[in-house]
Amino acid sequence: MTDNSARPHRRSSALHRARTLPPWSLLVAGALAGGLLGGAYGALKPPVYTATAYVVAVPTEKSDPASALGFAQAYGRVATQLAVLGDAQVWAGVPVKTLQGSVHAATSPDAPMVSVTATSSRADLAADMANAVSRALTRHAAGAKATTNVELERFARAVEPAEPSSASPAVTALVGASAGGLLGGLLLLVRPKGDRRETARPAAVPSPALAADSHGTL
């Protein structure tokens, strides 16, 4: 009986203490919780490395720079197709599905160049995949050179990155602290108004008897 009756009292006292906390405590608690969660996420998540290789479209004697620029745009779309990735998997040593999810190609509207970017949890594998796809793309373009009058040449090989491209634990902790502080501010704005009314003391109003006595003395 004693334990059961004491539980509601402890709950009400804990709720009262929580309601009497200063408003800025929600901001501090949210920022601390978000910072801890963000830092833990950055520390536990595997790092991501990024490597990029470049190929350039060169016109032959029967073509011109404008044609090379147009075919560079076309080869940028072909770089991640199965016809190219099927050859690249032999040099990269990974399945085609891995290349499809890890390799991306981009082109420039001003230069006849194609960039092949690969991401991986291993720095050496990221460079190997980017180089393998760029190599397969140049071989694919060489097979169509007689028709397109444009050839692809490897402009720059992908090198093994020295540092991961993913965010460090310090950055994720900072982002988490900012998000947690923002959430604490939102909770502060939507907090029930009854909590604030309880902390304010009601104004003293004289009883009818005291008011009558005061009137009689006057």
Side-chain angles (χ1 to χ4, degrees):
M1 295 295 292
T2 303
D3 295 339
N4 294 335
S5 60
R7 288 177 182 175
H9 176 71
R10 288 196 296 266
R11 292 176 182 175
S12 61
S13 61
L15 181 60
H16 176 71
R17 288 195 299 269
R19 288 177 175 177
T20 56
L21 290 175
W24 52 263
S25 61
L26 288 175
L27 299 176
V28 176
L32 289 177
L36 291 175
L37 292 176
Y41 174 79
L44 297 177
K45 183 182 179 181
V48 177
Y49 295 90
T50 303
T52 303
Y54 297 91
V55 295
V56 60
V58 180
T60 62
E61 297 179 355
K62 298 179 181 180
S63 185
D64 52 46
S67 298
L69 180 60
F71 277 105
Q73 302 290 330
Y75 283 127
R77 293 188 291 268
V78 173
T80 55
Q81 298 300 316
L82 186 60
V84 177
L85 299 183
D87 296 334
Q89 68 174 340
V90 179
W91 299 305
V94 295
V96 173
K97 183 178 293 186
T98 301
L99 293 176
Q100 288 176 333
S102 303
V103 178
H104 306 278
T107 58
S108 171
D110 303 321
M113 185 173 293
V114 181
S115 63
V116 180
T117 302
T119 57
S120 175
S121 58
R122 290 169 41 193
D124 59 337
L125 184 57
D128 289 343
M129 289 191 295
N131 289 325
V133 174
S134 63
R135 179 182 177 183
L137 184 61
T138 56
R139 288 171 61 93
H140 182 80
K145 178 181 176 180
T147 304
T148 62
N149 294 319
V150 173
E151 61 181 349
L152 286 183
E153 295 182 358
R154 303 183 71 177
F155 183 77
R157 290 177 53 86
V159 297
E160 184 176 332
E163 297 180 355
S165 58
S166 55
S168 63
V171 175
T172 56
L174 181 60
V175 174
S178 300
L182 178 60
L183 181 59
L186 294 177
L187 292 177
L188 182 61
L189 292 176
V190 301
R191 188 177 61 170
K193 296 181 179 180
D195 295 342
R196 293 191 291 270
R197 289 198 299 265
E198 290 181 4
T199 58
R201 295 182 178 180
V205 178
S207 63
L210 293 177
D213 293 342
S214 300
H215 182 71
T217 57
L218 295 176

